[in-house]
Amino acid sequence: MKKEKIAFILNYAPHYRLFIYNLLARNINIDFYFGDIPNSNIKKIRYEELLGFKKEFKTITYKSFYWYVSSISLIFKSYNKFVLTGDPQILSNWIFLIIARMMNKKTYLWTHGLYGKETKIQKKIKLIYFKLASKLLLYGDYSKNLLILDGFKEEDLIVIYNSLDFEKQKNIRSTLIKSDRYIKYFQNNNPILFYIGRIQKSKKLEQILEAMNILKSQNINTNFVLIGGMDIDYDFDQKVKENNLENLVWQVGPIYDEMIISQYIYDADICVSPGNVGLTALHSLAYGTPVITHNNFTKQMPEFETILDGINGFFFKENDVNDLANKIKKLISKENRKDEVSRVIDEKWNPNYQIKIFKSQLSTN
């Protein structure tokens, strides 16, 4: 008997999701459709590498709202289940969800859910939007608990977590040994603070520089290494100069080769993301490097849940650089076993776990 085909209608196709999308396509009969985010600084998947790719919709944008031209026509095709991006600013999705309910077709919103920082009107709009769907596919338990408090049934809230290319990272991790890359570059043996991701204002990376100077006043010297592209509206170079740390900061730039990235992360002592942490946490923990980020979970991305305070990282008081410096000092002095740091990725935050949840939901419901 031919498998039921499911349509995924998603807002964008970021390069780092190629592995999970292809894994989904091998395990579930999926057709992929995408909108587009104009002027996105995130590298897009090469569609010829994506199994089950069907179409990228022309996307009309107005301020922060989106409309996917002709996407609604899919509801009238042979699909009976749809997975959509759970962003209420995609206006075409509202119409899609309403028609799907009328036609008794199942819809799943893949969404961050609630953060806890929404205004009353933002929250109300989100809750109305979410209730149009059959079920929600959530990145973490934090949002699930918030939605339960707002009256959602637990069985309609499916936590799928998030992932990067776990199998590739796991295989690479098994081959890694410490290199002297940082010693050669900096000409010192200081502990290495590390960040990987987009270098932008929201990440508050200048707080790391301030913490480095606080530690320096305590005779604890550190180096800071960054991998990622720089936003044009964030003058990080000036921040480095203001803190007199030019010789202790290395801006490597963007890298997309995982073999190269892995060694940078593995050799580092601590990954620090003073703003929200996101996929940076997954990437760092996968190679056994602990993570520090802030403790205001209403402003965090779901991946903060991978950090087990005091075990594979720390939370510091938001915007408190003295507390950040203190947490860095604690981690520097702590013996961090690579296998212990990465355990949470091996157990839940990986594609194999996600596929198991997706199959249980999409194949039987």
Side-chain angles (χ1 to χ4, degrees):
M1 191 169 110
K2 192 177 178 182
K3 281 185 183 179
E4 177 186 31
K5 188 158 273 195
I6 299 164
F8 275 54
I9 307 169
L10 306 174
N11 65 333
Y12 192 68
H15 70 95
Y16 55 78
R17 290 209 189 279
L18 177 62
F19 182 81
I20 182 64
Y21 289 164
N22 276 341
L23 195 58
L24 279 166
R26 291 187 187 102
N27 283 271
I28 305 170
N29 202 11
I30 293 173
D31 284 341
F32 284 104
Y33 299 86
F34 295 94
D36 192 18
I37 301 174
N39 305 315
S40 174
N41 54 32
I42 301 173
K43 183 181 175 184
K44 189 184 292 187
I45 286 173
R46 293 174 59 195
Y47 287 132
E48 61 268 25
E49 297 177 1
L50 177 60
L51 301 175
F53 171 71
K54 290 297 180 183
K55 184 178 181 179
E56 180 181 280
F57 295 115
K58 179 182 176 183
T59 303
I60 297 172
T61 61
Y62 176 71
K63 296 184 178 179
S64 60
F65 297 98
Y66 302 88
W67 184 277
Y68 302 151
V69 176
S70 78
S71 66
I72 294 170
S73 65
L74 294 179
I75 197 69
F76 302 106
K77 295 189 180 292
S78 59
Y79 306 111
N80 286 312
K81 294 177 184 174
F82 302 87
V83 176
L84 296 89
T85 300
D87 181 355
Q89 292 176 304
I90 304 171
L91 300 181
S92 49
N93 278 3
W94 285 80
I95 308 300
F96 194 103
L97 290 166
I98 291 167
I99 296 174
R101 282 177 71 91
M102 293 169 61
M103 296 180 68
N104 202 29
K105 293 193 174 188
K106 291 203 169 184
T107 52
Y108 302 77
L109 288 178
W110 191 346
T111 175
H112 287 222
L114 293 178
Y115 290 95
K117 64 179 179 180
E118 292 87 355
T119 64
K120 284 186 179 180
I121 187 65
Q122 286 173 335
K123 183 177 177 182
K124 189 168 186 178
I125 290 169
K126 274 191 173 185
L127 293 179
I128 293 170
Y129 181 67
F130 293 158
K131 285 175 181 175
L132 290 173
S134 307
K135 292 190 177 185
L136 303 184
L137 304 172
L138 301 167
Y139 287 103
D141 294 292
Y142 173 80
S143 180
K144 175 183 176 179
N145 293 332
L146 290 178
L147 286 161
I148 288 172
L149 291 175
D150 273 295
F152 280 76
K153 294 177 183 177
E154 186 170 1
E155 59 266 31
D156 293 335
L157 304 172
I158 314 304
V159 179
I160 58 169
Y161 301 104
N162 206 353
S163 68
L164 293 169
D165 193 340
F166 173 72
E167 290 301 326
K168 185 174 186 178
Q169 291 174 337
K170 190 176 180 182
N171 289 335
I172 292 172
R173 186 174 72 200
S174 68
T175 68
L176 292 172
I177 57 173
K178 281 267 190 179
S179 77
D180 60 357
R181 176 199 308 267
Y182 294 135
I183 294 172
K184 283 181 176 177
Y185 182 85
F186 289 108
Q187 294 296 301
N188 65 46
N189 201 26
N190 296 344
I192 302 297
L193 309 180
F194 182 85
Y195 170 83
I196 183 168
R198 195 72 195 165
I199 300 168
Q200 52 193 345
K201 281 183 180 179
S202 64
K203 299 302 180 180
K204 302 180 181 179
L205 298 174
E206 66 277 3
Q207 292 184 7
I208 299 175
L209 306 176
E210 294 172 46
M212 288 172 70
N213 275 330
I214 291 170
L215 291 169
K216 196 173 180 181
S217 71
Q218 301 171 18
N219 296 315
I220 301 170
N221 294 309
T222 55
N223 303 323
F224 182 30
V225 178
L226 306 88
I227 288 183
M230 181 85 67
D231 276 9
I232 57 173
D233 63 345
Y234 184 44
D235 193 354
F236 184 73
D237 290 330
Q238 184 58 34
K239 305 285 186 186
V240 174
K241 289 175 185 175
E242 289 170 4
N243 283 276
N244 298 311
L245 291 170
E246 292 95 325
N247 295 328
L248 299 176
V249 175
W250 182 11
Q251 295 183 58
V252 180
I255 302 175
Y256 298 105
D257 187 322
E258 191 65 24
M259 283 296 295
I260 298 172
I261 290 170
S262 63
Q263 193 69 58
Y264 277 101
I265 299 176
Y266 190 85
D267 287 344
D269 295 286
I270 306 168
C271 175
V272 187
S273 185
N276 58 39
V277 73
L279 291 170
T280 295
L282 299 191
H283 217 162
S284 184
L285 295 175
Y287 295 114
T289 300
V291 180
I292 295 176
T293 191
H294 73 75
N295 67 350
N296 185 349
F297 301 151
T298 67
K299 295 182 181 178
Q300 278 289 5
M301 303 298 280
E303 291 79 11
F304 82 86
E305 294 182 41
T306 60
I307 300 168
L308 308 175
D309 200 40
I311 297 174
N312 63 0
F314 278 112
F315 295 107
F316 75 98
K317 186 177 178 181
E318 186 185 25
N319 297 324
D320 186 336
V321 292
N322 286 295
D323 192 39
L324 174 56
N326 185 47
K327 294 303 193 297
I328 292 171
K329 183 164 63 173
K330 280 187 177 182
L331 263 186
I332 287 172
S333 62
K334 183 179 182 291
E335 183 180 349
N336 297 297
R337 286 178 46 197
K338 294 281 186 184
D339 58 341
E340 185 179 67
V341 169
S342 60
R343 183 173 295 129
V344 68
I345 306 298
D346 296 344
E347 290 177 352
K348 283 187 179 179
W349 293 77
N350 63 71
N352 299 328
Y353 188 90
Q354 288 184 289
I355 290 297
K356 179 180 164 187
I357 302 300
F358 270 113
K359 286 177 75 173
S360 72
Q361 291 299 313
L362 300 180
S363 300
T364 61
N365 291 347

